[in-house]
Amino acid sequence: MATGFFWDEKCFWHSGGNYAFTLPVGGLVQPLAAGGLPESPETKRRLRTLMEVTGLTRDLDMRSADMATREDLLRVHPETYLDEFKRLSDTGGGELGRRTPFGAGGYEIAALSAGLAKEAVRAVHAGELENAYALSRPPGHHCLPDFPNGFCLLANIAIAIEAAKTDQGLGRVAVLDWDVHHGNGTEAIYYGRDDVLSISIHQEGNYPLDSGFIEDRGRGAGLGYNMNIPLPAGAGHTAYLAVLDEIVLPALERYQPDMIIVACGFDASAIDPLARMLATAQTFRDMTLRIKDAASRLCDGKLVLVHEGGYSEVYVPFCGHATLEALSGSTITAPDPMAEPLKIRQPGPRFDAFLREVIADQADIFDALPEG
Ligand SMILES: [Zn+2]
């Protein structure tokens, strides 16, 4: 069975508003020549283009999908929010939340982005594909049911999970969010539930500023099923792998999911403009291999990665290519042109020892997770 890769050119046509980086243009903020938010289509388009140039696309099952239906969206988002989003989208576009502008037809593009994730989850759960990657855009992990933020307009992963639960009887799902920003939307949606384990690894105090704390572990039936792993700025390759080995993999073992979904951002990379971490393409390759191995032991290999952030137009393609190589087991590779300089810039032994302590201190959040 093949690895599916879900993408659609229309998702690259989602347009941000009149921004210069994350600042609205106006006053003393001059428009950029190649303007717009950092969430640009180029990071994603260049990933797909690189895969085509190396030939990796020929080892994958390349597919598109239908838009998520209104019924799909209503399982996660209130009618009032969807109506207002659709109304603005039909009348030229606008902005509903914080840093989430969209152009005319933005509603349909966001529904397609969610549809790619939905179809990836459906096909993997149905056993049509070994595993899958959804190149969703706009991203989804920050989106609350009624408030879009952080470039996210619909909660793609939650929409996909809820559709598979309704249509296919999908059981327990573990969502691992390694985007460098806190997965506050996924957390909010599943905070009171035990049928979805939500784990977020993120840079502490980055975005959103007021969430992602270790103490936030869920409530009611969901108590223990929300895990936040904030890391200090500067964490690199060994820290990320240590978090996986010491916290995430044992948590997955204990939870015994029926499917693992990764909120796959590449903004923990060393040259991302929206974060201060030091992960490399090799980090993403190694994390993917570890999660793929966990999925094969725990849930018949059922694993779906859904694209989130990652804002280096030059480096995201190499991180993504390494991830897709690992996911598919393809031998077609795109050697990381920044491997050497980024290796030299990894944390030194003293900061590494500090990071080890931070990670060891957090291991108790895993103890709060009830046995599966
Ligand atoms: Zn992010």
Side-chain angles (χ1 to χ4, degrees), residues 298-319:
L298 298 171
C299 47
D300 223 9
K302 293 190 188 310
L303 170 63
V304 174
L305 277 62
V306 180
H307 197 96
E308 297 287 353
Y311 306 99
S312 168
E313 292 178 9
V314 173
Y315 200 48
V316 162
F318 290 96
C319 296

Side-chain angles (χ1 to χ4, degrees), residues 141-142 150-151 177 179-182 207 265-268 272 274-275 308-311:
H141 74 145
H142 292 307
F151 319 137
D177 187 323
D179 185 284
V180 81
H181 305 106
H182 177 228
Y207 184 89
F266 295 114
D267 38 14
D272 197 277
L274 291 188
E308 297 287 353
Y311 306 99

Side-chain angles (χ1 to χ4, degrees), residues 261-277:
I261 299 179
V262 176
C264 181
F266 295 114
D267 38 14
S269 93
I271 56 168
D272 197 277
L274 291 188
R276 298 291 178 267
M277 298 306 225

Side-chain angles (χ1 to χ4, degrees), residues 39-341:
E39 198 292 293
S40 84
E42 284 311 287
T43 47
K44 294 83 176 170
R45 188 181 271 128
R46 287 170 63 110
L47 164 58
R48 201 199 59 79
T49 308
L50 179 66
M51 289 163 49
E52 204 158 280
V53 168
T54 60
L56 180 58
T57 50
R58 291 196 290 275
D59 278 356
L60 306 176
D61 190 334
M62 304 291 285
R63 300 185 183 188
S64 184
D66 293 332
M67 289 189 290
T69 65
R70 186 167 167 91
E71 200 183 351
D72 294 327
L73 306 186
L74 280 168
R75 292 191 193 99
V76 175
H77 299 283
E79 198 160 24
T80 46
Y81 171 65
L82 296 177
D83 286 347
E84 183 60 6
F85 184 6
K86 174 81 172 129
R87 188 189 66 76
L88 276 176
S89 168
D90 286 347
T91 52
E95 179 151 1
L96 285 161
R98 194 192 304 142
R99 303 292 185 268
T100 55
F102 53 90
Y107 179 92
E108 281 72 23
I109 297 176
L112 176 58
S113 180
L116 297 177
K118 175 194 166 189
E119 180 58 14
V121 168
R122 187 207 62 76
V124 169
H125 186 258
E128 292 172 20
L129 294 166
E130 185 188 349
N131 50 40
Y133 193 100
L135 188 60
S136 292
R137 176 175 187 266
H141 74 145
H142 292 307
C143 190
L144 305 174
D146 62 352
F147 185 75
N149 67 105
F151 319 137
C152 300
L153 283 152
L154 294 172
N156 300 330
I157 288 176
I159 290 163
I161 291 173
E162 295 311 309
K165 281 177 179 285
T166 303
D167 300 340
Q168 299 171 286
L170 174 62
R172 294 156 75 87
V173 182
V175 179
L176 168 61
D177 187 323
W178 67 44
D179 185 284
V180 81
H181 305 106
H182 177 228
N184 58 311
T186 315
E187 172 180 280
I189 292 161
Y190 292 111
Y191 207 60
R193 284 169 54 173
D194 61 4
D195 60 331
V196 176
L197 170 66
S198 180
I199 307 174
S200 177
I201 310 169
H202 45 268
Q203 183 188 333
E204 64 185 355
N206 188 313
Y207 184 89
L209 278 174
D210 56 352
S211 73
F213 304 108
I214 303 172
E215 307 81 61
D216 299 338
R217 298 182 185 187
R219 92 165 76 76
L223 188 63
Y225 296 94
N226 189 76
M227 297 172 57
N228 283 324
I229 307 165
L231 295 175
H237 181 77
T238 53
Y240 270 89
L241 294 186
V243 166
L244 255 73
D245 290 342
E246 288 164 39
I247 304 177
V248 175
L249 297 176
L252 294 175
E253 292 283 347
R254 187 180 285 207
Y255 187 67
Q256 297 283 313
D258 298 304
M259 178 179 279
I260 300 171
I261 299 179
V262 176
C264 181
F266 295 114
D267 38 14
S269 93
I271 56 168
D272 197 277
L274 291 188
R276 298 291 178 267
M277 298 306 225
L278 290 168
T280 68
Q282 187 65 34
T283 313
F284 292 104
R285 181 195 309 277
D286 289 348
M287 290 199 294
T288 305
L289 287 172
R290 277 165 164 76
I291 295 300
K292 186 183 176 188
D293 179 60
S296 75
R297 275 183 288 112
L298 298 171
C299 47
D300 223 9
K302 293 190 188 310
L303 170 63
V304 174
L305 277 62
V306 180
H307 197 96
E308 297 287 353
Y311 306 99
S312 168
E313 292 178 9
V314 173
Y315 200 48
V316 162
F318 290 96
C319 296
H321 200 286
T323 299
L324 266 302
E325 288 170 43
L327 188 65
S328 65
S330 173
T331 55
I332 295 172
T333 190
D336 176 6
M338 301 198 72
E340 276 313 304

Side-chain angles (χ1 to χ4, degrees), residues 217 227 246-247 357-368:
R217 298 182 185 187
M227 297 172 57
E246 288 164 39
I247 304 177
E357 270 176 46
V358 169
I359 293 163
D361 279 352
Q362 298 198 19
D364 73 314
I365 65 167
F366 154 70
D367 294 334

